[in-house]
Amino acid sequence: MPTLLILGASGQIGKEIREQAKSYSFNVLTPTHTKLDITNEEQVKSYFAKHTPHIVINAAGFSKVTSAEEPDNFAHVMGVNGYALEYIASCCSKLDIPLIHISTDLVFDGKTELPYCEKDKPNPVNIYGMSKYLGEKLALKHNKKTIIVRSAWIFGKYSDNFVSNILKIALSTTSNINVLSDWFGSPTPANDLAEVLLNMAKKVLEEPNNKNLYGIFHYSGYPLISHYAFALDIYKEAKKQQVIKNDITITPTTYNISDTSVKMPIFTFLDCFKLTQIYGIVRKHYRLGLSTYLAQFKDKTCLKVR
Ligand SMILES: NC(=O)c1ccc[n+]([C@@H]2O[C@H](COP(=O)([O-])OP(=O)(O)OC[C@H]3O[C@@H](n4cnc5c(N)ncnc54)[C@H](OP(=O)(O)O)[C@@H]3O)[C@@H](O)[C@H]2O)c1
């Protein structure tokens, strides 16, 4: 049975991967951050030498886009999202094994209104995006069997996210929520992404010498939607499922850089055709995942984020 090493297994996406990996034939390794700090080169080297995995999924990262802008966090963010990928990829290369690394739509500047495909040149506009782009480049440079999977707007049951934030506001005494109507992207259920990553892992282990399976891929849910339209959808579905009982108004607002501490690309629709062409994986509508996600809150009096 092949050994799958999941880095960041305690995170939002990592937990989903870990949960679903049970139904794939993998022997799974899930070291905690304290056991294996990916920014510590010696720790990474000795862990790989001791455990010799057959494949790695890196779901570890610094994922707080706003905190990444704080000057005190700069070196840490670059270390976790950027330089650590050199250590991980080099170890994978030494073992001649595939590395699947999760990246983001935020490597793009969002200045086009066309879907981004894998060949488009990144041009990050914030520190988080820069750190993730650095990580992509190092992962690709140091291991020829690297697979980068860029995703976006992830929501899952294991962490706070846009959906749970809308629900929490709606359940509080607030009767109005302002949401951006000119910020576009595609919501992605974390469990859908986990399934995609595991299917990619399975295929690449079956055909390790198929060069087409390596490189950059995009996966997000569809369709392209504004934050405002997504918030309306969450509210409508939550009312239907009786997660929310009170009435609220959702008001569209527009993005203004002076209102935020972090610059964001406002149009990042990922073209996912390459994944379908090479891996036969078809993207799913986010609404299926949203409905399942909301169902977990049905019988609860308050929302708890685990
Ligand atoms: N969330 C999104 O919408 C989104 C979208 C696109 C891409 N991504 C990418 O997907 C990946 C996972 O995101 P997520 O939402 O699951 O993040 P998350 O919930 O914040 O989880 C991050 C994980 O990384 C671990 N970690 C952090 N620093 C580490 C270190 N130095 N060594 C080892 N482990 C470390 C954390 O462990 P501790 O908690 O113990 O520190 C945690 O398990 C990230 O690379 C992120 O950039 C996320």
Side-chain angles (χ1 to χ4, degrees):
M1 202 185 280
T3 298
L4 163 67
L5 168 60
I6 306 172
L7 300 169
S10 65
Q12 162 171 238
I13 304 165
K15 278 186 180 159
E16 296 277 0
I17 300 168
R18 183 181 188 161
E19 192 176 287
Q20 290 187 38
K22 289 175 199 154
S23 50
Y24 289 73
S25 298
F26 288 124
N27 172 29
V28 180
L29 297 172
T30 56
T32 58
H33 181 167
T34 36
K35 265 216 166 140
L36 174 55
D37 177 350
I38 60 167
T39 64
N40 182 326
E41 188 174 7
E42 284 317 308
Q43 259 186 40
V44 175
K45 276 185 183 163
S46 69
Y47 190 92
F48 274 74
K50 186 170 173 201
H51 296 277
T52 59
H54 297 100
I55 184 160
V56 179
I57 299 182
N58 180 33
F62 187 102
S63 59
K64 297 182 192 83
V65 181
T66 309
S67 310
E69 293 296 308
E70 289 168 25
D72 286 352
N73 287 337
F74 183 78
H76 179 61
V77 175
M78 287 297 173
V80 180
N81 290 346
Y83 298 112
L85 269 303
E86 176 174 343
Y87 314 148
I88 299 166
S90 301
C91 289
C92 289
S93 179
K94 207 166 170 193
L95 295 173
D96 193 28
I97 61 166
L99 163 63
I100 302 180
H101 171 63
I102 309 170
S103 193
T104 172
D105 60 329
L106 298 184
V107 296
F108 295 116
D109 61 19
K111 286 185 182 151
T112 168
E113 288 198 353
L114 291 171
Y116 282 103
C117 68
E118 291 79 354
K119 280 187 185 152
D120 288 324
K121 192 161 170 44
N123 182 31
V125 298
N126 57 38
I127 302 290
Y128 172 78
M130 281 176 207
S131 68
K132 295 296 292 183
Y133 184 35
L134 174 67
E136 287 188 1
K137 287 188 285 189
L138 292 174
L140 290 165
K141 181 177 171 192
H142 291 277
N143 181 29
K144 62 179 192 308
K145 289 187 173 171
T146 287
I147 299 163
I148 305 285
V149 181
R150 294 186 185 132
S151 193
W153 291 24
I154 295 164
F155 63 94
K157 60 183 183 287
Y158 292 118
S159 175
D160 217 343
N161 53 65
F162 183 75
V163 183
S164 61
N165 287 339
I166 293 289
L167 292 180
K168 279 184 190 168
I169 300 171
L171 286 167
S172 71
T173 49
T174 317
S175 57
N176 180 53
I177 311 176
N178 293 328
V179 187
L180 295 174
S181 59
D182 57 352
W183 183 358
F184 291 89
S186 357
T188 312
N191 57 340
D192 286 352
L193 176 62
E195 187 185 350
V196 167
L197 297 169
L198 286 162
N199 281 328
M200 292 177 87
K202 193 169 158 245
K203 187 162 173 77
V204 82
L205 284 174
E206 283 162 7
E207 301 173 44
N209 297 320
N210 181 350
K211 287 187 180 149
N212 292 332
L213 299 179
Y214 302 106
I216 302 174
F217 293 86
H218 289 171
Y219 182 80
S220 68
Y222 77 91
L224 174 71
I225 190 168
S226 71
H227 258 162
Y228 167 69
F230 188 33
L232 284 179
D233 222 16
I234 295 163
Y235 175 59
K236 207 169 101 193
E237 184 63 27
K239 281 280 269 191
K240 193 170 124 197
Q241 294 202 23
Q242 298 195 326
V243 174
I244 296 174
K245 296 195 175 76
N246 52 322
D247 292 323
I248 58 160
T249 311
I250 299 177
T251 309
T253 58
T254 50
Y255 176 77
N256 185 347
I257 180 65
S258 59
D259 294 343
T260 65
S261 53
V262 54
K263 217 171 166 187
M264 293 297 280
I266 60 166
F267 183 97
T268 54
F269 187 44
L270 297 174
D271 180 325
C272 302
F273 182 62
K274 186 179 165 195
L275 193 67
T276 307
Q277 212 178 20
I278 307 281
Y279 277 88
I281 294 173
V282 180
R283 63 179 7 186
K284 290 185 185 167
H285 198 296
Y286 74 81
R287 210 172 272 146
L288 287 166
L290 177 65
S291 175
T292 314
Y293 176 84
L294 291 173
Q296 71 181 307
F297 300 120
K298 232 173 186 169
D299 305 319
K300 301 209 171 78
T301 49
C302 67
L303 264 168
K304 271 193 229 143
V305 177
R306 281 147 294 177

